[in-house]
Amino acid sequence: MLWTRGIHWVYLITTLLLAFYRDQAWAFLCLGTVLSLLFSLFNYALCLKPFYKKFVKFLHVSAEYESLPADASADRRRSSVMQLDLARAELQKREVTRRQSVPVLRGGRRGSLLRLQLQQSKSFGYDITKSKDL
């Protein structure tokens, strides 16, 4: 996320704005600068900053787990492992809703009806494929 939302975004927008500057396309340069600043603020506020907070939390929990003494009680060790697992899950969590996913095409009723219609259509070579001469 840091690469695409941070580093790569800055590289791409800098390249685009430099092209506008070299072409002396001042309207595109001004509008592009304003829009890229707005999108950069969006990236920072809603993507990079929350990810950074989760990452720092994971580093702290990981350091706490690593610093456990060898004679730590089983309850404390188990608690630390559970906290580490929760921090890892929070860092890697990515919820995909049905609205964000592409529906999988299956051979359901609609697909089989369409397939049947295509097979019986002469424009799709139904008679040619069913011929015994092939």
Side-chain angles (χ1 to χ4, degrees):
M1 176 172 302
L2 176 65
W3 179 259
T4 56
R5 293 279 186 176
I7 298 168
H8 200 232
W9 167 251
V10 170
Y11 172 74
L12 287 175
I13 203 63
T14 304
T15 305
L16 181 65
L17 294 177
L18 282 175
F20 289 155
Y21 179 77
R22 286 187 195 123
D23 292 341
Q24 296 180 352
W26 306 118
F28 286 113
L29 181 63
C30 292
L31 185 64
T33 301
V34 170
L35 291 176
S36 65
L37 285 174
L38 287 174
F39 193 73
S40 297
L41 288 173
F42 166 79
N43 275 340
Y44 175 74
L46 297 178
C47 298
L48 293 176
K49 190 175 179 181
F51 180 77
Y52 178 75
K53 285 182 178 181
K54 291 176 188 177
F55 184 68
V56 168
K57 178 182 176 183
F58 173 76
L59 288 179
H60 287 301
V61 172
S62 178
E64 179 184 318
Y65 174 74
E66 295 292 327
S67 67
L68 282 176
D71 60 343
S73 67
D75 290 337
R76 185 168 180 208
R77 190 171 294 279
R78 188 177 322 118
S79 171
S80 182
V81 167
M82 288 174 54
Q83 287 178 355
L84 182 63
D85 193 40
L86 287 174
R88 180 200 51 84
E90 185 179 325
L91 185 64
Q92 293 178 342
K93 181 169 53 171
R94 181 171 181 253
E95 295 178 16
V96 178
T97 63
R98 287 184 70 104
R99 295 182 71 118
Q100 296 171 331
S101 63
V102 177
V104 177
L105 296 177
R106 294 187 180 161
R109 186 166 188 249
R110 288 185 67 185
S112 60
L113 287 175
L114 179 64
R115 205 173 313 122
L116 181 64
Q117 288 172 352
L118 289 176
Q119 284 178 351
Q120 294 176 352
S121 171
K122 294 190 189 287
S123 63
F124 281 88
Y126 179 77
D127 293 330
I128 294 172
T129 59
K130 296 296 182 183
S131 174
K132 301 250 183 199
D133 297 326
L134 291 176

